[in-house]
Amino acid sequence: MLERFYSMLGADIGIDLGTANTLVYLRDHGIIINEPSVVALNQKTNRVVAVGSDAKQMLGRTPGHVVAIRPLVDGVISDFEVTEEMLAHFIGKAVKLSKKNGRPRVVIGVPSGITNVETRAVRDAAVNAGAREVYIVEEPMAAAIGIRLPVQDPVGSMVIDIGGGTTDIAVISLGGIVNSKNLKVAGDRFNNDIISYIRDEFKILIGERTAENVKIAIGSATKPKEPMEAAIRGRDLLTGLPREVIVTDADIREALAPSIQVLLDSTKEVLETTPPEILSDIMNRGIVIVGGGALIYGLADLLAQTLKFPVAVADDPLTAVARGTGIVVENLEQYREVLIEHDNELPPR
Ligand code: ADP
Ligand code: MG
């Protein structure tokens, strides 16, 4: 009897709608989906052929009329319909797993600095995808909650979220974002930096996947204790034939240096415009970096040396936002103030 009553309520779902990866948290289950934000589209029929990991598998292996799209590539919804289909796909999976019949309640993390129009687009996409109630939280806030920073206390915290398309730098206090900056220098830019560097220095053209693999394998912001190298294969620009070269950690560090400098300068700018009391809290408590880019070797150290602030990489930085959206959806009343916009009435539970 009671069981039937509960099954009528919808599932509680938290979603990190990232530019590179979408993660879904389901109450009582934890993170159940962690897949690339990629959709494969048949251009002849305009139908979605695959979503997530299945779609990424198809990248570069499809017949001409099937294209793989990253609908959120710059942290904004570049393709509304495709985003909606992707959300519908992931929400559908979560609902099925929850075994609940009602329409779900969804908390979605979006990049900070998203416009009202884009926020509405995300909300509408989730409603069209079947959500009964949709709550939006800015990703750096969700990340801070996910890593258990005291976001609602009268104390300043600072989070840098380095994702695929965008980096969010945010200062948080009393349940709100006090100061922030959103920039398009993040993982994708690092990959492009590597492609350009290898083209200019080695006269070889490499693909995005290769660049990303090299970045993850030997990318660094400071000199590692042991030298590292990787063999990469690309197309020789002179002969047009495949050629393999060995690149070192120093090569990749040089390739990434200008973009990393932009991250340093932007963080400095945010600090410079942060009120002194909060600055002193951040000085005491340190800056935390999250997102896939936080895993670049030496980045936290370089930030700490340059800014003269303590800097740490969060545990499991790629899931921080998703964990945060999960905490919010499970404690909606408590976290009401951190939501960007809430025209839904919270029903009694
Ligand atoms: P988003 O939130 O925008 O979806 P994520 O936080 O999921 O982005 O991070 C994805 C980015 O992190 C990608 O650009 C990926 O290449 C990068 N990344 C993942 N792991 C590593 C690593 N170990 N070192 C450097 N970059 C990484
Ligand atoms: Mg993210």
Side-chain angles (χ1 to χ4, degrees):
M1 181 63 192
L2 207 57
E3 210 167 281
R4 241 185 68 202
F5 171 73
Y6 280 122
S7 81
M8 277 158 58
L9 293 173
D12 281 341
I13 298 171
I15 301 179
D16 169 8
L17 193 57
T19 62
N21 300 296
T22 297
L23 282 75
V24 179
Y25 177 99
L26 176 63
R27 184 195 277 260
D28 301 331
H29 290 76
I31 293 170
I32 53 158
I33 295 169
N34 184 352
E35 296 195 32
S37 305
V38 179
V39 173
L41 205 64
N42 181 331
Q43 286 184 308
K44 282 187 189 158
T45 60
N46 236 349
R47 299 288 283 271
V48 169
V49 201
V51 178
S53 309
D54 293 344
K56 195 170 184 183
Q57 278 297 315
M58 292 181 175
L59 268 177
R61 297 196 177 89
T62 55
H65 61 282
V66 178
V67 289
I69 294 178
R70 282 178 60 194
L72 294 146
V73 80
D74 283 326
V76 297
I77 298 200
S78 58
D79 193 320
F80 179 73
E81 279 167 35
V82 173
T83 303
E84 194 170 304
E85 296 229 27
M86 190 173 81
L87 266 179
H89 174 87
F90 289 134
I91 291 175
K93 263 191 172 177
V95 166
K96 199 167 167 196
L97 201 74
S98 75
K99 300 200 169 69
K100 293 194 172 174
N101 305 326
R103 295 169 65 197
R105 246 176 8 168
V106 184
V107 169
I108 305 183
V110 298
S112 78
I114 188 172
T115 64
N116 286 340
V117 173
E118 285 159 355
T119 306
R120 192 144 292 279
V122 172
R123 174 190 296 280
D124 290 350
V127 169
N128 291 341
R132 168 171 52 109
E133 293 161 45
V134 184
Y135 302 92
I136 308 279
V137 56
E138 287 168 288
E139 280 166 5
M141 174 64 82
I145 294 169
I147 60 179
R148 307 278 179 183
L149 296 181
V151 298
Q152 291 177 304
D153 294 355
V155 55
S157 303
M158 184 164 184
V159 179
I160 306 176
D161 178 0
I162 308 165
T166 57
T167 291
D168 270 322
I169 304 169
V171 174
I172 294 168
S173 176
L174 284 168
I177 293 182
V178 177
N179 194 7
S180 71
K181 206 173 161 72
N182 176 273
L183 49 153
K184 295 196 162 105
V185 176
D188 294 336
R189 175 71 67 90
F190 299 152
N191 297 348
N192 286 330
D193 290 340
I194 293 172
I195 292 172
S196 304
Y197 184 90
I198 302 293
R199 188 191 53 217
D200 296 347
E201 298 296 317
F202 294 90
K203 310 296 175 220
I204 287 184
L205 188 64
I206 61 167
E208 263 174 61
R209 283 255 202 133
T210 305
E212 180 163 42
N213 290 340
V214 174
K215 173 185 73 178
I216 292 174
I218 67 168
S220 62
T222 60
K223 198 171 175 207
K225 287 184 203 86
E226 300 286 332
M228 295 186 286
E229 53 181 45
I232 54 172
R233 210 173 291 167
R235 188 193 305 280
D236 187 305
L237 287 172
L238 294 175
T239 66
L241 297 172
R243 182 157 70 94
E244 191 178 273
V245 291
I246 303 292
V247 295
T248 65
D249 59 276
D251 290 324
I252 304 304
R253 206 156 48 250
E254 195 176 324
L256 301 180
S259 291
I260 287 180
Q261 189 61 45
V262 173
L263 290 184
L264 289 170
D265 292 343
S266 305
T267 308
K268 211 183 263 173
E269 274 173 43
V270 171
L271 287 168
E272 279 165 4
T273 50
T274 294
E277 299 297 341
I278 292 184
L279 209 56
S280 140
D281 293 339
I282 298 171
M283 185 59 112
N284 290 330
R285 306 168 35 80
I287 300 170
V288 187
I289 53 177
V290 301
L295 290 169
I296 289 182
Y297 177 91
L299 187 56
D301 283 347
L302 185 66
L303 278 160
Q305 284 163 25
T306 315
L307 304 168
K308 310 274 186 290
F309 275 71
V311 181
V313 181
D315 288 337
D316 203 2
L318 281 153
T319 63
V321 172
R323 283 181 278 139
T325 59
I327 293 171
V328 174
V329 80
E330 288 178 350
N331 304 277
L332 268 176
E333 277 301 343
Q334 182 192 339
Y335 285 106
R336 233 189 144 88
E337 62 179 354
V338 311
L339 303 167
I340 305 188
E341 203 192 7
H342 38 92
D343 35 67
N344 290 316
E345 270 306 305
L346 284 181
R349 278 215 115 172

